[in-house]
Amino acid sequence: MKKIAVIMGSDSDLPIARKALDTLAAYEVPFEVHVYSAHRTPAEAAAFAASARENGFGAIIAIAGMAAHLAGALAAGTTLPVIGIPAKSSNLEGLDALLSTVQMPSGIPVATVAIDGGVNAALLAIEMLAVNDEVLAGKLDAARAAARAKVLEKDAAVAAEFTL
């Protein structure tokens, strides 16, 4: 199975990364996590992206706030799927990072999830791997079925409480 890379622009992004890493671990998807900044360690970030495919990765998750150039910088160096997680900052509540992440030029795509969306970024990466992995696809199907059952159980409880 391919690995997923989780790259943070700063260790302050670790709470968001933990959500992604916990989700990947729950699905038993191998991963690596690193701190590389698009601005402070551009050579290391570029080298990681350039060698990611040959090093066994299937997708890259990039977490960055404020100017949020990390996802785009990584995507520029690889043809692997890159998923950007815009991180909330104190100034603009993550809107700056969201806009930076979604405004990629044609030819260098970055998938973007919600601000601080670590779980969904991991699930999107897992879905990408599951295209060619029936066991992983089955785990995703089972999780969706369990979520559906939980909502329907809550629906029945609420309906029972408020039905005349």
Side-chain angles (χ1 to χ4, degrees), residues 100-112:
S100 293
T101 307
V102 300
Q103 294 295 326
M104 290 301 298
S106 294
I108 308 294
V110 170
T112 307

Side-chain angles (χ1 to χ4, degrees), residues 14-40:
L14 194 53
I16 301 165
R18 283 189 200 282
K19 293 176 184 176
L21 298 169
D22 289 347
T23 302
L24 293 168
Y27 282 84
E28 300 177 313
V29 172
F31 57 82
E32 282 186 23
V33 60
H34 297 280
V35 178
Y36 294 132
S37 167
H39 305 110
R40 294 179 297 275

Side-chain angles (χ1 to χ4, degrees), residues 47-61:
F48 182 88
S51 63
R53 184 180 302 276
E54 69 188 48
N55 287 329
F57 291 95
I60 299 171
I61 296 171

Side-chain angles (χ1 to χ4, degrees), residues 120-145:
N120 271 356
L123 289 172
L124 182 55
I126 293 165
E127 288 176 347
M128 290 172 179
L129 296 184
V131 167
N132 294 313
D133 187 326
E134 291 301 320
V135 173
L136 206 49
K139 289 179 182 182
L140 287 165
D141 290 339
R144 292 268 179 108

Side-chain angles (χ1 to χ4, degrees), residues 75-156:
T78 185
T79 56
L80 290 175
V82 175
I83 303 163
I85 305 175
K88 191 177 288 186
S89 65
S90 60
N91 296 333
L92 297 175
E93 297 298 310
L95 184 58
D96 48 349
L98 175 65
L99 294 174
S100 293
T101 307
V102 300
Q103 294 295 326
M104 290 301 298
S106 294
I108 308 294
V110 170
T112 307
V113 296
I115 296 168
D116 293 350
V119 172
N120 271 356
L123 289 172
L124 182 55
I126 293 165
E127 288 176 347
M128 290 172 179
L129 296 184
V131 167
N132 294 313
D133 187 326
E134 291 301 320
V135 173
L136 206 49
K139 289 179 182 182
L140 287 165
D141 290 339
R144 292 268 179 108
R148 178 181 180 273
K150 187 182 252 185
V151 170
L152 292 176
E153 183 179 307
K154 291 177 182 182
D155 173 60

